[in-house]
PDB file of all heavy atoms in Angstrom:
ATOM      1  N   LYS A   1      13.952   4.375  -8.063  1.00 88.00           N
ATOM      2  CA  LYS A   1      15.300   4.486  -7.504  1.00 88.00           C
ATOM      3  C   LYS A   1      15.877   5.832  -7.900  1.00 88.00           C
ATOM      4  O   LYS A   1      16.033   6.137  -9.084  1.00 88.00           O
ATOM      5  CB  LYS A   1      16.197   3.361  -8.016  1.00 88.00           C
ATOM      6  CG  LYS A   1      17.562   3.314  -7.332  1.00 88.00           C
ATOM      7  CD  LYS A   1      18.341   2.084  -7.757  1.00 88.00           C
ATOM      8  CE  LYS A   1      19.682   1.997  -7.012  1.00 88.00           C
ATOM      9  NZ  LYS A   1      20.439   0.788  -7.399  1.00 88.00           N
ATOM     10  N   ARG A   2      16.186   6.630  -6.888  1.00 83.00           N
ATOM     11  CA  ARG A   2      16.742   7.952  -7.132  1.00 83.00           C
ATOM     12  C   ARG A   2      17.929   8.176  -6.213  1.00 83.00           C
ATOM     13  O   ARG A   2      17.856   7.892  -5.021  1.00 83.00           O
ATOM     14  CB  ARG A   2      15.683   9.037  -6.887  1.00 83.00           C
ATOM     15  CG  ARG A   2      14.518   9.002  -7.872  1.00 83.00           C
ATOM     16  CD  ARG A   2      13.430   9.977  -7.498  1.00 83.00           C
ATOM     17  NE  ARG A   2      12.282   9.884  -8.411  1.00 83.00           N
ATOM     18  CZ  ARG A   2      11.112  10.445  -8.182  1.00 83.00           C
ATOM     19  NH1 ARG A   2      10.935  11.152  -7.081  1.00 83.00           N
ATOM     20  NH2 ARG A   2      10.130  10.309  -9.059  1.00 83.00           N
ATOM     21  N   ARG A   3      19.012   8.684  -6.801  1.00 82.00           N
ATOM     22  CA  ARG A   3      20.227   8.961  -6.046  1.00 82.00           C
ATOM     23  C   ARG A   3      20.697   7.739  -5.262  1.00 82.00           C
ATOM     24  O   ARG A   3      21.148   7.832  -4.120  1.00 82.00           O
ATOM     25  CB  ARG A   3      20.014  10.138  -5.098  1.00 82.00           C
ATOM     26  CG  ARG A   3      19.698  11.444  -5.812  1.00 82.00           C
ATOM     27  CD  ARG A   3      19.306  12.520  -4.853  1.00 82.00           C
ATOM     28  NE  ARG A   3      18.895  13.733  -5.550  1.00 82.00           N
ATOM     29  CZ  ARG A   3      18.135  14.676  -5.019  1.00 82.00           C
ATOM     30  NH1 ARG A   3      17.686  14.542  -3.785  1.00 82.00           N
ATOM     31  NH2 ARG A   3      17.815  15.754  -5.698  1.00 82.00           N
ATOM     32  N   GLY A   4      20.552   6.587  -5.870  1.00 83.00           N
ATOM     33  CA  GLY A   4      21.036   5.360  -5.264  1.00 83.00           C
ATOM     34  C   GLY A   4      20.152   4.768  -4.193  1.00 83.00           C
ATOM     35  O   GLY A   4      20.496   3.749  -3.592  1.00 83.00           O
ATOM     36  N   THR A   5      18.988   5.395  -3.931  1.00 86.00           N
ATOM     37  CA  THR A   5      18.089   4.908  -2.886  1.00 86.00           C
ATOM     38  C   THR A   5      16.778   4.423  -3.490  1.00 86.00           C
ATOM     39  O   THR A   5      16.145   5.141  -4.270  1.00 86.00           O
ATOM     40  CB  THR A   5      17.784   6.024  -1.858  1.00 86.00           C
ATOM     41  OG1 THR A   5      19.002   6.459  -1.268  1.00 86.00           O
ATOM     42  CG2 THR A   5      16.853   5.505  -0.761  1.00 86.00           C
ATOM     43  N   LYS A   6      16.379   3.192  -3.130  1.00 89.00           N
ATOM     44  CA  LYS A   6      15.110   2.655  -3.614  1.00 89.00           C
ATOM     45  C   LYS A   6      13.980   3.124  -2.704  1.00 89.00           C
ATOM     46  O   LYS A   6      14.104   3.127  -1.487  1.00 89.00           O
ATOM     47  CB  LYS A   6      15.159   1.125  -3.643  1.00 89.00           C
ATOM     48  CG  LYS A   6      16.064   0.560  -4.715  1.00 89.00           C
ATOM     49  CD  LYS A   6      16.060  -0.962  -4.695  1.00 89.00           C
ATOM     50  CE  LYS A   6      14.707  -1.508  -5.099  1.00 89.00           C
ATOM     51  NZ  LYS A   6      14.731  -2.992  -5.188  1.00 89.00           N
ATOM     52  N   ARG A   7      12.874   3.490  -3.334  1.00 93.00           N
ATOM     53  CA  ARG A   7      11.698   3.929  -2.596  1.00 93.00           C
ATOM     54  C   ARG A   7      10.451   3.257  -3.157  1.00 93.00           C
ATOM     55  O   ARG A   7      10.356   3.034  -4.359  1.00 93.00           O
ATOM     56  CB  ARG A   7      11.525   5.452  -2.685  1.00 93.00           C
ATOM     57  CG  ARG A   7      12.612   6.252  -1.989  1.00 93.00           C
ATOM     58  CD  ARG A   7      12.381   7.755  -2.186  1.00 93.00           C
ATOM     59  NE  ARG A   7      13.329   8.563  -1.428  1.00 93.00           N
ATOM     60  CZ  ARG A   7      14.534   8.881  -1.864  1.00 93.00           C
ATOM     61  NH1 ARG A   7      14.932   8.468  -3.058  1.00 93.00           N
ATOM     62  NH2 ARG A   7      15.345   9.599  -1.118  1.00 93.00           N
ATOM     63  N   VAL A   8       9.518   2.970  -2.261  1.00 94.00           N
ATOM     64  CA  VAL A   8       8.212   2.489  -2.690  1.00 94.00           C
ATOM     65  C   VAL A   8       7.284   3.695  -2.673  1.00 94.00           C
ATOM     66  O   VAL A   8       7.116   4.342  -1.626  1.00 94.00           O
ATOM     67  CB  VAL A   8       7.672   1.393  -1.751  1.00 94.00           C
ATOM     68  CG1 VAL A   8       6.357   0.838  -2.288  1.00 94.00           C
ATOM     69  CG2 VAL A   8       8.683   0.270  -1.597  1.00 94.00           C
ATOM     70  N   ILE A   9       6.699   4.013  -3.804  1.00 95.00           N
ATOM     71  CA  ILE A   9       5.813   5.167  -3.913  1.00 95.00           C
ATOM     72  C   ILE A   9       4.363   4.683  -3.935  1.00 95.00           C
ATOM     73  O   ILE A   9       3.973   3.898  -4.802  1.00 95.00           O
ATOM     74  CB  ILE A   9       6.105   5.993  -5.181  1.00 95.00           C
ATOM     75  CG1 ILE A   9       7.576   6.411  -5.219  1.00 95.00           C
ATOM     76  CG2 ILE A   9       5.186   7.216  -5.234  1.00 95.00           C
ATOM     77  CD1 ILE A   9       7.996   7.325  -4.094  1.00 95.00           C
ATOM     78  N   PHE A  10       3.578   5.169  -2.983  1.00 94.00           N
ATOM     79  CA  PHE A  10       2.151   4.870  -2.918  1.00 94.00           C
ATOM     80  C   PHE A  10       1.366   6.083  -3.397  1.00 94.00           C
ATOM     81  O   PHE A  10       1.679   7.212  -3.005  1.00 94.00           O
ATOM     82  CB  PHE A  10       1.718   4.554  -1.481  1.00 94.00           C
ATOM     83  CG  PHE A  10       2.325   3.303  -0.901  1.00 94.00           C
ATOM     84  CD1 PHE A  10       3.633   3.297  -0.440  1.00 94.00           C
ATOM     85  CD2 PHE A  10       1.584   2.137  -0.801  1.00 94.00           C
ATOM     86  CE1 PHE A  10       4.201   2.161   0.109  1.00 94.00           C
ATOM     87  CE2 PHE A  10       2.141   0.989  -0.256  1.00 94.00           C
ATOM     88  CZ  PHE A  10       3.443   0.992   0.198  1.00 94.00           C
ATOM     89  N   SER A  11       0.356   5.860  -4.219  1.00 94.00           N
ATOM     90  CA  SER A  11      -0.502   6.973  -4.604  1.00 94.00           C
ATOM     91  C   SER A  11      -1.336   7.392  -3.392  1.00 94.00           C
ATOM     92  O   SER A  11      -1.533   6.608  -2.454  1.00 94.00           O
ATOM     93  CB  SER A  11      -1.418   6.566  -5.761  1.00 94.00           C
ATOM     94  OG  SER A  11      -2.366   5.603  -5.321  1.00 94.00           O
ATOM     95  N   GLU A  12      -1.820   8.623  -3.406  1.00 93.00           N
ATOM     96  CA  GLU A  12      -2.660   9.083  -2.299  1.00 93.00           C
ATOM     97  C   GLU A  12      -3.907   8.222  -2.172  1.00 93.00           C
ATOM     98  O   GLU A  12      -4.364   7.934  -1.056  1.00 93.00           O
ATOM     99  CB  GLU A  12      -3.040  10.552  -2.517  1.00 93.00           C
ATOM    100  CG  GLU A  12      -1.867  11.517  -2.400  1.00 93.00           C
ATOM    101  CD  GLU A  12      -2.319  12.960  -2.443  1.00 93.00           C
ATOM    102  OE1 GLU A  12      -3.540  13.200  -2.472  1.00 93.00           O
ATOM    103  OE2 GLU A  12      -1.448  13.851  -2.445  1.00 93.00           O
ATOM    104  N   HIS A  13      -4.453   7.809  -3.312  1.00 92.00           N
ATOM    105  CA  HIS A  13      -5.646   6.958  -3.288  1.00 92.00           C
ATOM    106  C   HIS A  13      -5.340   5.612  -2.628  1.00 92.00           C
ATOM    107  O   HIS A  13      -6.140   5.108  -1.828  1.00 92.00           O
ATOM    108  CB  HIS A  13      -6.144   6.743  -4.713  1.00 92.00           C
ATOM    109  CG  HIS A  13      -7.381   5.887  -4.796  1.00 92.00           C
ATOM    110  ND1 HIS A  13      -8.613   6.288  -4.308  1.00 92.00           N
ATOM    111  CD2 HIS A  13      -7.569   4.623  -5.301  1.00 92.00           C
ATOM    112  CE1 HIS A  13      -9.498   5.327  -4.501  1.00 92.00           C
ATOM    113  NE2 HIS A  13      -8.889   4.310  -5.095  1.00 92.00           N
ATOM    114  N   ALA A  14      -4.162   5.037  -2.949  1.00 91.00           N
ATOM    115  CA  ALA A  14      -3.791   3.743  -2.369  1.00 91.00           C
ATOM    116  C   ALA A  14      -3.631   3.850  -0.860  1.00 91.00           C
ATOM    117  O   ALA A  14      -4.102   2.981  -0.108  1.00 91.00           O
ATOM    118  CB  ALA A  14      -2.497   3.235  -3.000  1.00 91.00           C
ATOM    119  N   VAL A  15      -2.976   4.921  -0.394  1.00 91.00           N
ATOM    120  CA  VAL A  15      -2.782   5.110   1.047  1.00 91.00           C
ATOM    121  C   VAL A  15      -4.127   5.313   1.736  1.00 91.00           C
ATOM    122  O   VAL A  15      -4.367   4.782   2.826  1.00 91.00           O
ATOM    123  CB  VAL A  15      -1.848   6.306   1.317  1.00 91.00           C
ATOM    124  CG1 VAL A  15      -1.847   6.663   2.800  1.00 91.00           C
ATOM    125  CG2 VAL A  15      -0.434   5.984   0.855  1.00 91.00           C
ATOM    126  N   SER A  16      -5.019   6.065   1.097  1.00 90.00           N
ATOM    127  CA  SER A  16      -6.343   6.293   1.667  1.00 90.00           C
ATOM    128  C   SER A  16      -7.109   4.982   1.806  1.00 90.00           C
ATOM    129  O   SER A  16      -7.743   4.717   2.834  1.00 90.00           O
ATOM    130  CB  SER A  16      -7.124   7.272   0.783  1.00 90.00           C
ATOM    131  OG  SER A  16      -8.439   7.440   1.267  1.00 90.00           O
ATOM    132  N   GLU A  17      -7.034   4.138   0.771  1.00 90.00           N
ATOM    133  CA  GLU A  17      -7.727   2.846   0.830  1.00 90.00           C
ATOM    134  C   GLU A  17      -7.125   1.937   1.883  1.00 90.00           C
ATOM    135  O   GLU A  17      -7.852   1.250   2.610  1.00 90.00           O
ATOM    136  CB  GLU A  17      -7.660   2.166  -0.543  1.00 90.00           C
ATOM    137  CG  GLU A  17      -8.564   2.783  -1.585  1.00 90.00           C
ATOM    138  CD  GLU A  17      -8.592   1.961  -2.853  1.00 90.00           C
ATOM    139  OE1 GLU A  17      -7.585   1.276  -3.134  1.00 90.00           O
ATOM    140  OE2 GLU A  17      -9.612   1.988  -3.570  1.00 90.00           O
ATOM    141  N   LEU A  18      -5.796   1.917   1.989  1.00 89.00           N
ATOM    142  CA  LEU A  18      -5.143   1.079   2.987  1.00 89.00           C
ATOM    143  C   LEU A  18      -5.483   1.551   4.395  1.00 89.00           C
ATOM    144  O   LEU A  18      -5.673   0.739   5.306  1.00 89.00           O
ATOM    145  CB  LEU A  18      -3.626   1.082   2.777  1.00 89.00           C
ATOM    146  CG  LEU A  18      -3.113   0.379   1.520  1.00 89.00           C
ATOM    147  CD1 LEU A  18      -1.614   0.593   1.370  1.00 89.00           C
ATOM    148  CD2 LEU A  18      -3.442  -1.103   1.548  1.00 89.00           C
ATOM    149  N   ALA A  19      -5.563   2.882   4.582  1.00 85.00           N
ATOM    150  CA  ALA A  19      -5.882   3.432   5.895  1.00 85.00           C
ATOM    151  C   ALA A  19      -7.300   3.065   6.317  1.00 85.00           C
ATOM    152  O   ALA A  19      -7.593   2.921   7.515  1.00 85.00           O
ATOM    153  CB  ALA A  19      -5.715   4.947   5.887  1.00 85.00           C
ATOM    154  N   GLU A  20      -8.176   2.893   5.338  1.00 83.00           N
ATOM    155  CA  GLU A  20      -9.570   2.554   5.639  1.00 83.00           C
ATOM    156  C   GLU A  20      -9.791   1.054   5.738  1.00 83.00           C
ATOM    157  O   GLU A  20     -10.880   0.614   6.079  1.00 83.00           O
ATOM    158  CB  GLU A  20     -10.484   3.127   4.547  1.00 83.00           C
ATOM    159  CG  GLU A  20     -10.507   4.648   4.513  1.00 83.00           C
ATOM    160  CD  GLU A  20     -11.283   5.179   3.324  1.00 83.00           C
ATOM    161  OE1 GLU A  20     -11.766   4.339   2.520  1.00 83.00           O
ATOM    162  OE2 GLU A  20     -11.411   6.403   3.198  1.00 83.00           O
ATOM    163  N   THR A  21      -8.763   0.287   5.421  1.00 81.00           N
ATOM    164  CA  THR A  21      -8.873  -1.170   5.456  1.00 81.00           C
ATOM    165  C   THR A  21      -8.417  -1.682   6.808  1.00 81.00           C
ATOM    166  O   THR A  21      -7.303  -1.415   7.245  1.00 81.00           O
ATOM    167  CB  THR A  21      -8.003  -1.818   4.359  1.00 81.00           C
ATOM    168  OG1 THR A  21      -8.385  -1.296   3.093  1.00 81.00           O
ATOM    169  CG2 THR A  21      -8.183  -3.325   4.355  1.00 81.00           C
ATOM    170  N   SER A  22      -9.280  -2.424   7.470  1.00 66.00           N
ATOM    171  CA  SER A  22      -8.920  -2.955   8.779  1.00 66.00           C
ATOM    172  C   SER A  22      -8.859  -4.474   8.721  1.00 66.00           C
ATOM    173  O   SER A  22      -9.576  -5.100   7.937  1.00 66.00           O
ATOM    174  CB  SER A  22      -9.958  -2.528   9.834  1.00 66.00           C
ATOM    175  OG  SER A  22     -11.247  -2.993   9.468  1.00 66.00           O
ATOM    176  N   PRO A  23      -7.990  -5.068   9.542  1.00 67.00           N
ATOM    177  CA  PRO A  23      -7.918  -6.539   9.570  1.00 67.00           C
ATOM    178  C   PRO A  23      -9.261  -7.133   9.943  1.00 67.00           C
ATOM    179  O   PRO A  23     -10.002  -6.581  10.751  1.00 67.00           O
ATOM    180  CB  PRO A  23      -6.856  -6.819  10.652  1.00 67.00           C
ATOM    181  CG  PRO A  23      -6.051  -5.562  10.707  1.00 67.00           C
ATOM    182  CD  PRO A  23      -7.020  -4.446  10.436  1.00 67.00           C
ATOM    183  N   ALA A  24      -9.587  -8.258   9.347  1.00 52.00           N
ATOM    184  CA  ALA A  24     -10.864  -8.902   9.611  1.00 52.00           C
ATOM    185  C   ALA A  24     -10.666 -10.089  10.537  1.00 52.00           C
ATOM    186  O   ALA A  24      -9.747 -10.875  10.371  1.00 52.00           O
ATOM    187  CB  ALA A  24     -11.500  -9.363   8.303  1.00 52.00           C
ATOM    188  N   SER A  25     -11.551 -10.213  11.514  1.00 41.00           N
ATOM    189  CA  SER A  25     -11.479 -11.354  12.420  1.00 41.00           C
ATOM    190  C   SER A  25     -12.178 -12.570  11.819  1.00 41.00           C
ATOM    191  O   SER A  25     -11.875 -13.706  12.129  1.00 41.00           O
ATOM    192  CB  SER A  25     -12.117 -11.002  13.769  1.00 41.00           C
ATOM    193  OG  SER A  25     -13.468 -10.597  13.577  1.00 41.00           O
ATOM    194  N   ALA A  26     -13.119 -12.294  10.946  1.00 40.00           N
ATOM    195  CA  ALA A  26     -13.839 -13.379  10.292  1.00 40.00           C
ATOM    196  C   ALA A  26     -14.496 -12.833   9.042  1.00 40.00           C
ATOM    197  O   ALA A  26     -14.842 -11.655   8.965  1.00 40.00           O
ATOM    198  CB  ALA A  26     -14.896 -13.974  11.231  1.00 40.00           C
ATOM    199  N   GLY A  27     -14.682 -13.699   8.067  1.00 46.00           N
ATOM    200  CA  GLY A  27     -15.382 -13.285   6.869  1.00 46.00           C
ATOM    201  C   GLY A  27     -14.560 -12.415   5.941  1.00 46.00           C
ATOM    202  O   GLY A  27     -15.079 -11.867   4.978  1.00 46.00           O
ATOM    203  N   GLY A  28     -13.284 -12.254   6.212  1.00 46.00           N
ATOM    204  CA  GLY A  28     -12.439 -11.434   5.340  1.00 46.00           C
ATOM    205  C   GLY A  28     -11.999 -12.232   4.134  1.00 46.00           C
ATOM    206  O   GLY A  28     -12.445 -13.337   3.875  1.00 46.00           O
ATOM    207  N   SER A  29     -11.133 -11.651   3.351  1.00 46.00           N
ATOM    208  CA  SER A  29     -10.651 -12.332   2.159  1.00 46.00           C
ATOM    209  C   SER A  29      -9.764 -13.501   2.551  1.00 46.00           C
ATOM    210  O   SER A  29      -9.145 -13.515   3.602  1.00 46.00           O
ATOM    211  CB  SER A  29      -9.864 -11.347   1.289  1.00 46.00           C
ATOM    212  OG  SER A  29      -8.858 -10.725   2.044  1.00 46.00           O
ATOM    213  N   GLY A  30      -9.694 -14.498   1.682  1.00 47.00           N
ATOM    214  CA  GLY A  30      -8.862 -15.659   1.938  1.00 47.00           C
ATOM    215  C   GLY A  30      -7.525 -15.534   1.247  1.00 47.00           C
ATOM    216  O   GLY A  30      -7.311 -14.668   0.411  1.00 47.00           O
ATOM    217  N   ILE A  31      -6.640 -16.454   1.569  1.00 43.00           N
ATOM    218  CA  ILE A  31      -5.302 -16.418   0.976  1.00 43.00           C
ATOM    219  C   ILE A  31      -5.382 -16.621  -0.532  1.00 43.00           C
ATOM    220  O   ILE A  31      -4.565 -16.097  -1.293  1.00 43.00           O
ATOM    221  CB  ILE A  31      -4.414 -17.516   1.623  1.00 43.00           C
ATOM    222  CG1 ILE A  31      -2.946 -17.317   1.196  1.00 43.00           C
ATOM    223  CG2 ILE A  31      -4.897 -18.899   1.257  1.00 43.00           C
ATOM    224  CD1 ILE A  31      -2.310 -16.093   1.765  1.00 43.00           C
ATOM    225  N   THR A  32      -6.400 -17.345  -0.995  1.00 40.00           N
ATOM    226  CA  THR A  32      -6.566 -17.552  -2.435  1.00 40.00           C
ATOM    227  C   THR A  32      -6.747 -16.243  -3.172  1.00 40.00           C
ATOM    228  O   THR A  32      -6.174 -16.020  -4.239  1.00 40.00           O
ATOM    229  CB  THR A  32      -7.789 -18.449  -2.700  1.00 40.00           C
ATOM    230  OG1 THR A  32      -7.611 -19.693  -2.037  1.00 40.00           O
ATOM    231  CG2 THR A  32      -7.955 -18.703  -4.205  1.00 40.00           C
ATOM    232  N   ASP A  33      -7.552 -15.334  -2.625  1.00 45.00           N
ATOM    233  CA  ASP A  33      -7.812 -14.054  -3.286  1.00 45.00           C
ATOM    234  C   ASP A  33      -6.546 -13.252  -3.430  1.00 45.00           C
ATOM    235  O   ASP A  33      -6.326 -12.572  -4.434  1.00 45.00           O
ATOM    236  CB  ASP A  33      -8.861 -13.261  -2.487  1.00 45.00           C
ATOM    237  CG  ASP A  33     -10.157 -14.009  -2.342  1.00 45.00           C
ATOM    238  OD1 ASP A  33     -10.667 -14.514  -3.364  1.00 45.00           O
ATOM    239  OD2 ASP A  33     -10.675 -14.109  -1.208  1.00 45.00           O
TER     240      ASP A  33
END
C-alpha cells in the first residue's frame, strides 16, 4: 500500500509462470490441490 492505494505486486518469475500456464480441459490439477 503506497500513497493510499493498494497494489498486488507480482514478481517477474510469477508473471512468466502464469503466462505459460494454460487452463486444462482434462487431467489438470483438482480443487484439492
